[in-house]
C-alpha cells in the first residue's frame, strides 16, 4: 500500500520544481515512476510505450510545475491524471495508425480506446482515493479478505470496514462513466 504524501510535501515539491531543482525531479521520479509506468502500461499494454509516457509525464511536470494546483488534489492524483490522459492520447495515435494499416474499423478502434480509458480511470480512482479506502479495497481484492478480516487487519470496527469497502466500490464503479471532457494542458499530448 502506498503512503499518501501530505499536502505540505506536495506544495514544497512544486516549489522546488519551480525553482528548477533537479534533485526534486529525481525525488519525484523515485516516488512516482512505478505508478506512472504501471498506469501507462495498463492502457497501452506495451513496455516501450509505457516508458515513453513515463518520460513525457515527468518532462511535462518538470517544464510546467505551476500547472499543478494543490487545491484540486494531491500531486500523486495529478500525476496519475496526466499519465492517464497521455497514455490514452498515445493509444489513440497508435491505434489510428494501426487502423489505417490494418483497416481496423473505427468502431473497433473506439471500443479498444474506451476499454483502455475505463481501465485507466479505474487506476486513477484507486490511486487518488484516500488511503483508508484504498487499504480496505486492497485487502478485499488482493488478499481476498471479507469485511470482518479487513476490519481486524485495519484495526477498525466491522461497520467501519463495511463503510470503507462500500464507499471505495462506489467510487470505483464510476470508472465506466464517461467523465466530462477536460481540456488538456497547453502543449500536452505532443511527442517530446
Amino acid at each position: 500500500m502506498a503512503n499518501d504524501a501530505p499536502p505540505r510535501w506536495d506544495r514544497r515539491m512544486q516549489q522546488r520544481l519551480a525553482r528548477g531543482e533537479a534533485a526534486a525531479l529525481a525525488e519525484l521520479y523515485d516516488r512516482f515512476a512505478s505508478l506512472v509506468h504501471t498506469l501507462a502500461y495498463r492502457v497501452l499494454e506495451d513496455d516501450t510505450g509505457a516508458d515513453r509516457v513515463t518520460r513525457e509525464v515527468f518532462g511535462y511536470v518538470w517544464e510546467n510545475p505551476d500547472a499543478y494546483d494543490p487545491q484540486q488534489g494531491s500531486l500523486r492524483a495529478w500525476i496519475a491524471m496526466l499519465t492517464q490522459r497521455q497514455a490514452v492520447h498515445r493509444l489513440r495515435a497508435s491505434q489510428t495508425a494501426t487502423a489505417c494499416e490494418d483497416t481496423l474499423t473505427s468502431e473497433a478502434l473506439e471500443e479498444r480506446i474506451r476499454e483502455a480509458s475505463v481501465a485507466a480511470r479505474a487506476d486513477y480512482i484507486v490511486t487518488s482515493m484516500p488511503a483508508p479506502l484504498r487499504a480496505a479495497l486492497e485487502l478485499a481484492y488482493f488478499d481476498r479478505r471479507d469485511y470482518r478480516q479487513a476490519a481486524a487487519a485495519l484495526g477498525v470496527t466491522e461497520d467501519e470496514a463495511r463503510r470503507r469497502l462500500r464507499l471505495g466500490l462506489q467510487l470505483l464503479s464510476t470508472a465506466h462513466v464517461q467523465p466530462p471532457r477536460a481540456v488538456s494542458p497547453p502543449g500536452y499530448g505532443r511527442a517530446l
Side-chain angles (χ1 to χ4, degrees):
M1 286 173 258
N3 289 335
D4 285 341
R8 186 173 29 167
W9 184 90
D10 291 351
R11 285 191 297 276
R12 268 194 260 138
M13 178 57 70
Q14 181 186 29
Q15 292 165 351
R16 290 175 61 201
L17 289 167
R19 287 192 303 262
E21 287 184 33
L25 181 62
E27 185 179 333
L28 192 71
Y29 184 87
D30 289 345
R31 183 172 235 154
F32 297 123
S34 178
L35 168 73
V36 170
H37 190 274
T38 300
L39 291 175
Y41 184 83
R42 177 95 185 253
V43 173
L44 299 170
E45 297 177 349
D46 172 43
D47 267 327
T48 304
D51 289 343
R52 177 176 286 159
V53 168
T54 301
R55 285 191 307 274
E56 291 170 351
V57 166
F58 284 101
Y60 179 81
V61 170
W62 176 249
E63 292 172 3
N64 303 283
D66 293 330
Y68 166 63
D69 181 5
Q71 300 300 318
Q72 298 296 316
S74 70
L75 189 56
R76 176 189 177 94
W78 181 65
I79 288 173
M81 181 267 310
L82 291 175
T83 303
Q84 187 259 344
R85 286 183 183 170
Q86 185 64 2
V88 168
H89 170 77
R90 283 246 165 245
L91 180 64
R92 283 186 188 277
S94 70
Q95 293 293 326
T96 301
T98 302
C100 291
E101 294 170 5
D102 298 341
T103 64
L104 184 66
T105 67
S106 62
E107 294 84 20
L109 170 62
E110 282 304 312
E111 182 59 28
R112 171 75 173 99
I113 291 170
R114 207 173 4 267
E115 288 171 2
S117 187
V118 167
R121 275 195 303 277
D123 283 339
Y124 171 74
I125 289 167
V126 170
T127 60
S128 20
M129 71 176 46
L133 298 181
R134 189 169 56 246
L137 285 178
E138 287 173 349
L139 286 170
Y141 183 75
F142 294 116
D143 296 346
R144 302 275 190 221
R145 297 187 186 184
D146 65 17
Y147 73 93
R148 288 183 184 104
Q149 295 165 328
L154 296 170
V156 298
T157 65
E158 290 180 4
D159 286 341
E160 178 62 16
R162 272 196 305 261
R163 187 190 67 75
R164 288 180 185 182
L165 287 168
R166 184 174 48 250
L167 183 55
L169 289 172
Q170 285 172 343
L171 288 171
L172 199 52
S173 72
T174 65
H176 75 282
V177 176
Q178 188 69 359
R181 192 121 173 113
V183 177
S184 294
Y188 194 69
R190 60 176 165 71
L192 295 178

